Amino acid sequence: MPSNDELPQERRLRGGCMCEAVTYEVADNFLYAINCHCSKCRRTTGSAFKPIAGVAVEDFEVTAGTDNLFRHGDPDGIHDMHCRTCGSLVYSWIAERGTVKVHVPMGTLMDAPSIRPAMHIFVGSKAPWFEITDDLPQYVSFPP
């Protein structure tokens, strides 16, 4: 049996806010990656959509600046965590239907993840000025 030193190391990715007051590490063990076009995601990012990657809570860790985070949303449900200094969205806490996940905005990653978005969701409320030009599946709301 191999010793702990011989076991493969889990790949950890670095990420953080724009001003780098808040940083995090996340295991490159994402459950899914999607492009969300809902109006909330568009307003949160100021963009046409938000590319997000979902990961288990235990695979995500804020490594610096925890005291520099502020929460927007339901503290017991879905909420976003932003940097107090620059306002960047750092991550989202998704507690619903008896499960909890962390949504990492893929634009906050400093290292490239192994996963890529696999679909577009909430295209029924996408920005009217934006045209989706890739071949990824599109869903009006959540996929079936």
Side-chain angles (χ1 to χ4, degrees):
M1 171 168 248
S3 71
N4 285 344
D5 294 336
E6 296 171 4
L7 294 174
Q9 291 294 312
E10 179 177 74
R11 184 167 178 253
R12 305 281 298 172
L13 307 175
R14 298 168 300 128
C17 67
M18 182 176 65
C19 72
E20 298 182 16
V22 179
T23 59
Y24 66 81
E25 284 190 0
V26 63
D28 191 14
N29 190 28
F30 293 102
L31 305 168
Y32 51 85
I34 55 180
N35 293 323
C36 184
H37 294 263
C38 79
S39 61
K40 183 179 179 217
C41 284
R42 288 188 286 113
R43 288 191 311 266
T44 298
T45 61
S47 185
F49 60 92
K50 178 170 71 170
I52 51 178
V55 68
V57 173
E58 59 269 14
D59 287 338
F60 181 86
E61 176 186 8
V62 175
T63 53
T66 303
D67 57 337
N68 205 46
L69 286 168
F70 76 88
R71 177 180 41 237
H72 180 267
D74 179 357
D76 299 320
I78 298 172
H79 57 267
D80 294 331
M81 300 299 288
H82 294 263
C83 172
R84 286 187 194 280
T85 303
C86 67
S88 295
L89 171 63
V90 181
Y91 67 94
S92 300
W93 184 266
I94 310 299
E96 62 182 356
R97 294 182 281 233
T99 64
V100 179
K101 293 181 213 61
V102 172
H103 279 179
V104 174
M106 295 180 79
T108 65
L109 288 166
M110 295 175 203
D111 301 313
S114 59
I115 197 168
R116 300 293 181 263
M119 67 185 72
H120 296 272
I121 65 171
F122 288 99
V123 298
S125 61
K126 78 173 189 60
W129 47 264
F130 180 75
E131 181 180 344
I132 298 171
T133 59
D134 61 41
D135 293 331
L136 295 177
Q138 298 179 26
Y139 298 94
V140 172
S141 59
F142 280 114

